[in-house]
Amino acid sequence: MTEADFDPERILGALAAAEVRYVLIGGMAAILHGDAGVTIDLDVAPAFDPDNLERLAAALRSLGARVRAEGSPEGVPFDCSGAFLRNLGRDAVLNLTTQAGDIDVVFTPTGTQGFRDLKRDAISIDAGGITILVASLADIIRSKAAADREKDRLAVPRLRALLERTVVR
């Protein structure tokens, strides 16, 4: 999978077709808020109830999802089922590659309490005819600051400046 193969609309379309409840987080969510950053994957925080996990598994299967693994460009097969996702637990992060690009499934993003927490302040955005919930810019900043990875430390000041410019005074 290369950058040129990244098709976020196809991934979002598969999630919508399966009626998966999730909040878009991470770099793509920040870009939808106006950030100038670049990303070549999608990050989602799905609801963790059994029915939603079944729908998520169906969407991932429709995309040919496989676990991303170093040294395996096509990814590694896994039991893409609701039961498997439930057994991972709420603290799991599942890094996947699909026929439409990479997707990270993060049940409880660092610094948050997961879907319900993020949904509270999320905004709805129409993306190519698909309505998606996007984490608020403040929640994106909160999660990136808590994660404290180098790439997040670089992004947080830029995102805080963006938030300052967009806050209605």
Side-chain angles (χ1 to χ4, degrees), residues 50-118:
D51 289 340
N52 196 60
L53 295 178
E54 290 295 339
R55 292 190 299 270
L56 174 60
L60 294 173
R61 285 192 305 271
S62 78
L63 292 164
R66 296 165 71 92
V67 174
R68 268 195 331 265
E70 194 170 318
S72 181
E74 299 300 315
V76 176
F78 71 107
D79 173 19
C80 190
S81 67
F84 174 83
L85 297 174
R86 270 190 309 283
N87 288 336
L88 287 175
R90 293 179 187 272
D91 294 329
V93 175
L94 191 56
N95 304 114
L96 302 170
T97 189
T98 76
Q99 297 158 353
D102 292 345
I103 181 170
D104 295 335
V105 178
V106 187
F107 294 108
T108 308
T110 305
T112 79
Q113 297 197 5
F115 174 78
R116 285 188 191 166
D117 177 26
L118 293 166

Side-chain angles (χ1 to χ4, degrees), residues 114-129:
F115 174 78
R116 285 188 191 166
D117 177 26
L118 293 166
K119 182 182 176 195
R120 184 181 54 245
D121 293 325
I123 61 169
S124 290
I125 292 182
D126 183 289

Side-chain angles (χ1 to χ4, degrees), residues 9 12-13 125-132:
E9 287 97 13
L12 294 170
I125 292 182
D126 183 289
I130 298 168
T131 301
I132 56 173

